[in-house]
Amino acid sequence: MRKVFLLLIVLFIASCSGDKYRIKGSYEGAADGTKLYITAIDEFFTPIDSAVVRDGLFSFSGKADTPVVRMLISSVELDGGPIVIENGRTDVILGNGMRRGGSTLNKQLQHFYDKRDVMGRRMESIIDFINGTPSMTASQRDSIQLCVAAAKADFVEMLQRTIGGNMDNALGAFLLTQSEDYFSPDEIYSLMSMVPRHLHDKLFVAMYERVKDEASRKMRAMATSVGGTYINFELPDADGNKVLLSDIITKNRYTLLDFWASWCAPCRQEMPVIRKIYNDYKKSGVAVVSLSVDSSIEEWKEGVSSLGMQWVQLCDVAGGSAEVASAYGVESIPTLILIDSEGKIIMRGEPAVRVAERLSELLK
């Protein structure tokens, strides 16, 4: 009976331990009394818990409702780094760096840093080779480029795999914040949009805000790139009449959509060619629509008049023009977009002279 009772106690303790996190660590070379802190990942590294080193060992324990990434830092050295606080046991080694393991997510986090370090060492060896080889042959340069590309591709593939497998937990969100050097803003933005809102910590939100405008603009530009479909809109012309873009597109073989402004010098430089396109091809089913992002009606109308822009002119200084430009992902002006009668975009971002050449080919 006593053995059965003891067995039940052991099983109860074992089951309860799974509901807590236990961090067991060693800190080589640290003096007794050295303090370690678990902190938030914010600008102040706000302390959340602390432990004291005794005989080179330390420990933390507590309960984590959901895994969260924190910092483990020393009070006297630069040792430490990110650690996932998750229920179960985590093993940490400090001193000349940091290694973590034991729990599932900490193993993955360590794997990420190991691969990053391998890539770093490859880059260092390449730099050493370059510095030690003042005059390189073309073959050596090609070999270096291949090595760099292979190292980066290997790391990025692992990073994508790790992030993709952890989109529903804090590790995926954290690694995204460490990945700006390896992904374009639109790729980061796309990945971030998949992270559950409850995992949006301060670091994540700050990065999201930093990349979202640029990234979302590029993604919209991709959606309206060559091969994509135009976005319909309705804006007033110089007489205040509302003009629907789809009405123009369906009635013509091709429509040239021109984003411009009266104050834009490059836009003005393009106007003689756009004017020639209009005059040469208006009877062949080519329409031109200039959409101004001017903030002044008077300046817009003066620009239209002085430049002899006799085709369709649209502008809404109250914000409509800016909204349309944003919807098309326009990053700079002038931006020219050539659209066929079915609404398919066949040219984007080319100078007016290239558009004229393309129209000449299409209309033969």
Side-chain angles (χ1 to χ4, degrees):
M1 184 67 180
R2 185 170 179 273
K3 289 182 178 180
V4 173
F5 179 70
L6 290 174
L7 178 60
L8 289 173
I9 291 176
V10 170
L11 291 174
F12 175 76
I13 292 173
S15 64
C16 288
S17 66
D19 295 331
K20 294 183 177 181
Y21 68 82
R22 294 167 296 143
I23 300 172
K24 300 289 185 179
S26 63
Y27 194 172
E28 184 180 350
D32 280 2
T34 299
K35 271 199 166 184
L36 296 172
Y37 297 94
I38 290 177
T39 76
I41 302 179
D42 57 23
E43 62 269 36
F44 303 111
F45 290 98
T46 306
I48 295 172
D49 198 0
S50 64
V52 177
V53 176
R54 300 292 183 197
D55 298 324
L57 303 175
F58 63 89
S59 65
F60 292 88
S61 64
K63 186 174 182 179
D65 294 330
T66 58
V68 61
V69 180
R70 302 294 191 196
M71 290 294 292
L72 174 59
I73 58 177
S74 168
S75 61
V76 295
E77 299 289 346
L78 296 177
D79 288 319
I83 187 171
V84 183
I85 306 299
E86 61 177 330
N87 291 332
R89 174 160 174 160
T90 296
D91 299 307
V92 176
I93 300 174
L94 288 177
N96 191 30
M98 175 180 178
R99 295 196 64 81
R100 74 284 282 158
S103 68
T104 301
L105 295 183
N106 277 299
K107 285 180 179 177
Q108 291 190 53
L109 182 57
Q110 186 60 52
H111 183 60
F112 164 78
Y113 285 122
D114 287 344
K115 293 291 286 187
R116 188 191 66 178
D117 291 345
V118 168
M119 180 179 174
R121 287 193 292 272
R122 286 186 187 177
M123 295 302 104
E124 287 177 5
S125 65
I126 290 171
I127 292 171
D128 289 342
F129 177 78
I130 293 173
N131 290 336
T133 314
S135 56
M136 287 187 292
T137 65
S139 176
Q140 288 174 325
R141 282 195 298 271
D142 291 343
S143 178
I144 287 173
Q145 290 175 350
L146 287 173
C147 287
V148 171
K152 184 174 181 180
D154 182 37
F155 177 77
V156 170
E157 181 183 358
M158 182 279 303
L159 181 56
Q160 288 175 325
R161 191 166 56 250
T162 304
I163 291 174
N166 291 281
M167 296 303 288
D168 60 345
N169 63 59
L171 181 58
F174 171 73
L175 289 180
L176 269 176
T177 66
Q178 309 294 299
S179 306
E180 283 191 79
D181 292 339
Y182 307 107
F183 299 110
S184 65
D186 46 305
E187 288 173 329
I188 293 174
Y189 182 80
S190 180
L191 287 167
M192 283 183 157
S193 66
M194 293 160 41
V195 175
R197 183 164 294 278
H198 72 277
L199 297 174
H200 293 195
D201 61 14
K202 289 183 178 179
L203 183 66
F204 180 93
V205 170
M207 182 179 178
Y208 186 87
E209 290 298 320
R210 189 165 63 250
V211 304
K212 73 173 184 178
D213 289 340
E214 178 184 357
S216 59
R217 188 164 51 246
K218 287 187 176 181
M219 291 172 73
R220 290 193 295 271
M222 289 172 60
T224 53
S225 60
V226 175
T229 304
Y230 83 103
I231 298 171
N232 199 18
F233 61 83
E234 186 178 62
L235 287 179
D237 62 15
D239 297 321
N241 300 315
K242 291 292 183 71
V243 176
L244 191 63
L245 181 63
S246 58
D247 288 344
I248 298 173
I249 287 175
T250 55
K251 293 174 182 177
N252 290 277
R253 295 175 67 183
Y254 300 99
T255 299
L256 178 60
L257 179 58
D258 164 40
F259 289 90
W260 79 293
S262 64
W263 44 262
C264 168
C267 299
R268 286 177 168 269
Q269 291 170 1
E270 289 279 62
M271 283 309 163
V273 182
I274 295 176
R275 187 166 56 244
K276 189 173 188 326
I277 289 173
Y278 172 71
N279 290 327
D280 288 351
Y281 299 119
K282 61 183 177 181
K283 293 182 180 179
S284 301
V286 176
V288 179
V289 177
S290 285
L291 191 161
S292 171
V293 293
D294 272 287
S295 57
S296 166
I297 288 289
E298 291 73 20
E299 291 178 3
W300 167 53
K301 289 186 176 181
E302 189 283 326
V304 169
S305 175
S306 64
L307 292 168
M309 302 168 67
Q310 299 177 348
W311 51 92
V312 177
Q313 303 295 321
L314 305 178
C315 183
D316 179 7
V317 297
S321 293
E323 289 178 6
V324 173
S326 176
Y328 274 85
V330 173
E331 296 187 65
S332 62
I333 53 175
T335 291
L336 298 175
I337 300 176
L338 187 62
I339 308 164
D340 69 16
S341 59
E342 296 182 353
K344 182 179 178 181
I345 295 170
I346 57 177
M347 289 189 79
R348 176 179 173 134
E350 298 287 347
V353 66
R354 296 283 182 268
V355 176
E357 292 172 355
R358 183 70 182 278
L359 284 170
S360 176
E361 296 171 359
L362 291 169
L363 296 169
K364 279 182 180 178

